[in-house]
Amino acid sequence: ILVRTRTAFVGQLVRALKTRNIPVSGVDRMVLGEQLAIMDVLAAAEFALLPGNDLALACLLKSPLAGWNEEQLYDACIDRPATLWERVQEMAEAPTLAWLRGLIASAASDHPYEFFARLLQRPCPGDTQSGMRGLLGRLGSEAADPLEELLSAAISYERANSPTLQGFVSWQKSED
């Protein structure tokens, strides 16, 4: 289906086609960094690389991956004497804490594709099956295209650059 201009209608059209199981590749132009699912997985990487990054951790906790609500995040943030990560270590449930620590460990050794593939394939606090299912459950099936594109971008990045997660995150945030 060709349209003259890309308005909000195009997103609704793609969503309607997908809900009716009509194959559609999505909108052919997308800025990955503007997609909510990408923001969530990049927040996971930023936290894993620098656990003291309070904003990245707050975004990750509120994402479908961790599944915290506003009240939980508020309780963790209010009147804390140190970083959010230190506070979360004091108050989070054991499975959430183990998952967050696992992200930190993965970031220390995984290449970008490996890190994001594990994040999407493994269970997370927000979904007992997989991170991908958690993201798609809250953000809808249209989040699959950007996530697949991010994985493709990670592979492309690794072929052309030193395959570090820090380098990929920096590159991804600077790309259109």
Side-chain angles (χ1 to χ4, degrees):
I1 300 172
L2 297 175
V3 294
R4 286 183 186 257
T5 59
R6 297 179 198 292
T7 62
F9 169 74
V10 174
Q12 294 170 348
L13 175 65
V14 169
R15 188 175 304 115
L17 291 169
K18 286 185 176 186
T19 59
R20 289 171 179 77
N21 294 322
I22 299 170
V24 61
S25 62
V27 180
D28 59 349
R29 284 191 223 169
M30 140 181 25
V31 178
L32 281 181
E34 293 176 1
Q35 305 298 312
L36 288 176
I38 302 305
M39 290 179 196
D40 290 340
V41 297
L42 288 178
E46 289 177 321
F47 159 73
L49 290 164
L50 183 63
N53 183 337
D54 288 350
L55 178 59
L57 178 54
C59 292
L60 174 58
L61 292 172
K62 282 282 295 163
S63 79
L65 296 167
W68 280 29
N69 60 37
E70 290 285 335
E71 186 176 316
Q72 289 172 298
L73 186 58
Y74 178 81
D75 290 343
C77 290
I78 196 70
D79 296 327
R80 60 185 163 83
T83 67
L84 179 57
W85 173 231
E86 290 170 340
R87 179 62 179 238
V88 167
Q89 291 179 84
E90 295 170 1
M91 65 175 286
E93 296 176 3
T96 300
L97 198 50
W99 179 73
L100 291 169
R101 287 181 175 149
L103 290 178
I104 295 169
S106 292
S109 60
D110 287 356
H111 291 173
Y113 177 84
E114 207 174 12
F115 179 86
F116 292 113
R118 284 180 208 247
L119 179 66
L120 295 172
Q121 291 172 355
R122 290 188 174 167
C124 60
D127 190 279
T128 58
Q129 297 295 314
S130 71
M132 176 70 92
R133 192 177 111 160
L135 288 163
L136 297 180
R138 186 172 324 157
L139 302 176
S141 61
E142 59 271 6
D145 286 342
L147 291 169
E148 289 172 14
E149 198 56 43
L150 180 77
L151 291 173
S152 294
I155 291 171
S156 297
Y157 178 84
E158 289 178 14
R159 287 182 183 146
N161 301 283
S162 177
T164 64
L165 185 59
Q166 176 71 46
F168 177 77
V169 169
S170 177
W171 174 77
Q172 186 59 48
K173 288 187 154 272
S174 69
E175 285 294 308
D176 288 340

